[in-house]
Amino acid sequence: MAREVRHDADGPAVFDADDLGDDGKLYVCRCGLSDGALCDGSHNATADETEGVRYKYEDDDPGGERRLLERDRTDG
Ligand code: FES
Protein backbone atom coordinates (compact mmCIF):
# COMPACT_ATOMS: atom_id res chain seq x y z
CA MET A 1 0.00 0.00 0.00
CA ALA A 2 1.11 3.45 -0.85
CA ARG A 3 -0.69 6.68 -1.52
CA GLU A 4 -0.11 9.71 -3.64
CA VAL A 5 -0.36 13.01 -1.77
CA ARG A 6 0.30 16.62 -2.69
CA HIS A 7 2.58 18.74 -0.54
CA ASP A 8 2.62 22.50 -0.99
CA ALA A 9 5.01 23.40 1.84
CA ASP A 10 8.33 24.90 0.84
CA GLY A 11 10.11 24.78 4.16
CA PRO A 12 10.50 22.73 7.30
CA ALA A 13 7.93 22.22 10.03
CA VAL A 14 9.10 23.58 13.37
CA PHE A 15 8.02 21.93 16.59
CA ASP A 16 8.27 22.88 20.23
CA ALA A 17 7.31 21.40 23.56
CA ASP A 18 3.63 22.29 23.00
CA ASP A 19 3.53 19.78 20.14
CA LEU A 20 4.46 16.83 22.32
CA GLY A 21 1.76 14.29 23.12
CA ASP A 22 0.68 13.53 26.67
CA ASP A 23 3.33 10.80 26.74
CA GLY A 24 6.09 13.30 25.90
CA LYS A 25 6.56 11.95 22.37
CA LEU A 26 6.24 13.74 19.04
CA TYR A 27 4.01 11.98 16.49
CA VAL A 28 4.98 13.05 12.98
CA CYS A 29 2.55 12.09 10.20
CA ARG A 30 3.96 9.60 7.71
CA CYS A 31 0.75 8.71 5.90
CA GLY A 32 0.37 12.11 4.20
CA LEU A 33 -3.29 12.52 5.14
CA SER A 34 -2.99 14.74 8.23
CA ASP A 35 -3.94 18.41 7.89
CA GLY A 36 -0.51 19.30 9.28
CA ALA A 37 2.89 17.75 9.88
CA LEU A 38 1.77 16.02 13.04
CA CYS A 39 -0.36 12.89 13.21
CA ASP A 40 -4.03 13.71 13.76
CA GLY A 41 -5.39 10.18 13.45
CA SER A 42 -6.19 10.48 9.74
CA HIS A 43 -4.05 7.41 9.09
CA ASN A 44 -6.99 5.31 10.34
CA ALA A 45 -8.51 5.72 6.87
CA THR A 46 -5.67 3.57 5.49
CA ALA A 47 -6.36 0.56 7.71
CA ASP A 48 -7.99 -1.46 4.93
CA GLU A 49 -5.59 -0.54 2.13
CA THR A 50 -4.15 -3.50 0.25
CA GLU A 51 -0.43 -4.18 0.06
CA GLY A 52 0.97 -3.57 -3.43
CA VAL A 53 -1.67 -0.97 -4.37
CA ARG A 54 -1.16 2.77 -4.76
CA TYR A 55 -4.09 5.00 -3.78
CA LYS A 56 -5.14 8.61 -4.14
CA TYR A 57 -7.56 10.23 -1.67
CA GLU A 58 -9.69 13.00 -3.17
CA ASP A 59 -8.23 16.37 -2.09
CA ASP A 60 -5.85 14.42 0.22
CA ASP A 61 -8.84 14.14 2.54
CA PRO A 62 -8.98 10.87 4.51
CA GLY A 63 -12.79 11.12 4.38
CA GLY A 64 -12.77 11.78 0.66
CA GLU A 65 -13.18 9.33 -2.16
CA ARG A 66 -10.32 6.83 -2.38
CA ARG A 67 -9.24 5.80 -5.86
CA LEU A 68 -6.99 2.91 -6.77
CA LEU A 69 -4.24 4.28 -9.01
CA GLU A 70 -2.07 1.28 -9.68
CA ARG A 71 -1.34 -2.24 -8.58
CA ASP A 72 2.25 -3.33 -8.07
CA ARG A 73 2.90 -5.63 -11.01
CA THR A 74 5.38 -7.68 -8.97
CA ASP A 75 2.69 -8.41 -6.37
CA GLY A 76 1.10 -11.48 -7.87
S1 FES B 1 0.37 9.06 10.41
FE1 FES B 1 -0.69 10.45 9.19
S2 FES B 1 -2.32 11.07 10.44
FE2 FES B 1 -1.29 9.63 11.64
Side-chain angles (χ1 to χ4, degrees):
M1 68 197 154
R3 66 206 63 83
E4 194 173 287
V5 296
R6 182 176 134 189
H7 288 275
D8 295 325
D10 57 2
V14 178
F15 305 105
D16 61 27
D18 291 339
D19 296 309
L20 298 175
D22 292 340
D23 59 2
K25 296 179 179 176
L26 187 66
Y27 292 87
V28 177
C29 175
R30 298 191 310 157
C31 75
L33 296 175
S34 173
D35 274 341
L38 296 177
C39 174
D40 64 2
S42 296
H43 60 265
N44 290 314
T46 70
D48 62 346
E49 289 183 352
T50 301
E51 195 68 39
V53 175
R54 185 164 54 96
Y55 297 94
K56 172 70 180 166
Y57 289 75
E58 190 69 31
D59 298 324
D60 296 333
D61 176 358
E65 178 186 355
R66 180 174 66 190
R67 292 183 288 127
L68 187 157
L69 296 180
E70 179 179 57
R71 286 190 189 279
D72 183 351
R73 294 185 181 148
T74 62
D75 190 42

